[in-house]
Amino acid sequence: MKKAFPTLFAILSASTLTLSAQTLTDSTSTTRSVDLMDPAAFGFGRPGYMVDTTLIDTQNFANRPGGLDFMEVRTILPLWTKKMNALRVGASLSYHLSELDFNGFLGLQRETLHTLEAQVSLFWRPEHSKWWGLGFFTPGLGTDFQGLSWDDFEVSGLGLLGYRFTDTFSLAGGFFAQYGAQEGLIVPALGFIWKPAPFIVQVTPPFVVLGWRATDRMTLSLSAYPSGGSWDMEDPNVNRMELSGWQTAASVIYQATDRFSISLRAGMNVGGELELRDGNNNVLANETLESAPFGALNLRWQF
């Protein structure tokens, strides 16, 4: 279940970083410069509207001629939030548009694929307490929208309990569960955030980022995180595709105004794998992809 790693990364990192950001914004030393980083543009920290575009150069097949071209546009739309004493409930919607060009491999040409996810979140933090808890429930689907079946749908959930040891160090642990395409997964979730100003270290496996806040408006970072996804397809030969890999990136994040930020990141997509299956779940191809450079642009309006 290759999609588990990007999904786990997004949910675990977002939850841990959001909690720490909310903890910090309750302090008397709040400034825009202390907000947590989001170099991979998955919507960490303060809620807001986000659009992110990533373009990866051709990833050649390691063991045969040909390769894969990939472009993705991701959006996050916060829908609703309400605070009830020590508990906050929220809902958001995310959509990914993925364009893949197989260049004739297994008869596939250019495919347009979609990932749509809704998320309901619970955040608990009693007043004057260093403990906090968080839960996510995320149903979604990955499809080409040419025909929907239960294999298109996927659901995941996360429960975390965290403790803020100091103003610069937070730790969180719990469990992540996912089910989709007749496969299930339960794994432990553990992460920490350390902020020896002006630097910040965010480790929520499989996400790692090292950042330096050069000014109140500009942050530079190095990061590594998973990429890819899984989709059901209505093709005469191919019924399911799973794409996985890792992106190592250098980023520049600029806070243009109090609410609007723009970021650029570039690096290499490494460790890529492509798996294609037919309608009977038989593996048609399992290809290793060579490393390829990528670039990304992110625009965000924060509340």
Side-chain angles (χ1 to χ4, degrees):
M1 201 172 205
K2 297 177 182 176
K3 191 181 178 183
F5 295 103
T7 304
L8 171 60
F9 145 69
I11 296 177
L12 173 57
S13 299
S15 60
T16 306
L17 301 185
T18 298
L19 284 169
S20 295
Q22 292 181 4
T23 298
L24 284 170
T25 55
D26 288 340
S27 71
T28 58
S29 61
T30 297
T31 66
R32 292 306 183 196
S33 64
V34 301
D35 288 339
L36 290 166
M37 293 181 303
D38 185 10
F42 279 89
F44 309 156
R46 302 200 321 274
Y49 303 104
M50 186 275 291
V51 177
D52 183 88
T53 301
T54 300
L55 180 63
I56 304 177
D57 197 9
T58 302
Q59 301 173 75
N60 294 318
F61 298 135
N63 302 312
R64 68 169 71 215
L68 178 70
D69 295 323
F70 182 88
M71 187 274 289
E72 181 180 63
V73 178
R74 295 185 287 114
T75 63
I76 296 177
L77 174 65
L79 298 178
W80 171 81
T81 184
K82 183 176 179 61
K83 192 176 187 302
M84 298 173 286
N85 298 320
L87 181 67
R88 178 176 290 278
V89 183
S92 63
L93 188 67
S94 66
Y95 170 70
H96 302 177
L97 172 66
S98 302
E99 293 279 353
L100 296 95
D101 193 341
F102 293 86
N103 299 295
F105 180 61
L106 289 186
L108 297 172
Q109 296 296 333
R110 193 171 188 86
E111 298 287 339
T112 300
L113 303 172
H114 312 268
T115 303
L116 183 65
E117 292 180 328
Q119 185 174 92
V120 177
S121 61
L122 301 173
F123 169 50
W124 167 80
R125 185 169 70 86
E127 189 176 1
H128 306 305
S129 174
K130 293 186 177 182
W131 288 97
W132 49 261
L134 185 140
F136 280 90
F137 175 73
T138 310
L141 58 87
T143 179
D144 58 5
F145 279 133
Q146 294 185 21
L148 295 178
S149 69
W150 283 112
D151 287 341
D152 294 7
F153 290 88
E154 187 173 271
V155 62
S156 56
L158 174 76
L160 286 179
L161 182 64
Y163 187 79
R164 181 169 56 90
F165 288 89
T166 70
D167 289 340
T168 61
F169 184 80
S170 298
L171 181 68
F175 289 91
F176 169 82
Q178 183 182 50
Y179 182 81
Q182 303 179 22
E183 297 182 21
L185 174 75
I186 299 179
V187 295
L190 180 66
F192 74 86
I193 302 166
W194 182 40
K195 302 182 59 180
F199 300 98
I200 181 168
V201 180
Q202 299 171 189
V203 180
T204 49
F207 171 87
V208 177
V209 59
L210 170 64
W212 172 47
R213 301 193 182 282
T215 70
D216 284 349
R217 293 191 176 275
M218 182 175 294
T219 300
L220 308 178
S221 74
L222 299 174
S223 59
Y225 51 90
S227 63
S230 62
W231 302 267
D232 260 41
M233 303 168 58
E234 292 299 319
D235 182 84
N237 299 316
V238 180
N239 185 252
R240 187 167 185 83
M241 182 187 73
E242 295 186 352
L243 178 66
S244 64
W246 290 82
Q247 290 183 354
T248 58
S251 306
V252 178
I253 305 171
Y254 181 69
Q255 191 75 37
T257 70
D258 194 45
R259 297 186 181 275
F260 177 71
S261 65
I262 181 171
S263 65
L264 295 170
R265 66 186 187 277
M268 295 293 294
N269 197 86
V270 301
E273 292 186 11
L274 172 68
E275 183 176 279
L276 302 175
R277 294 176 177 263
D278 63 17
N280 296 318
N281 209 33
N282 298 315
V283 177
L284 300 174
N286 193 339
E287 298 295 325
T288 299
L289 303 176
E290 294 184 353
S291 300
F294 79 93
L297 170 67
N298 177 264
L299 304 175
R300 182 176 308 160
W301 179 270
Q302 296 174 310
F303 297 153

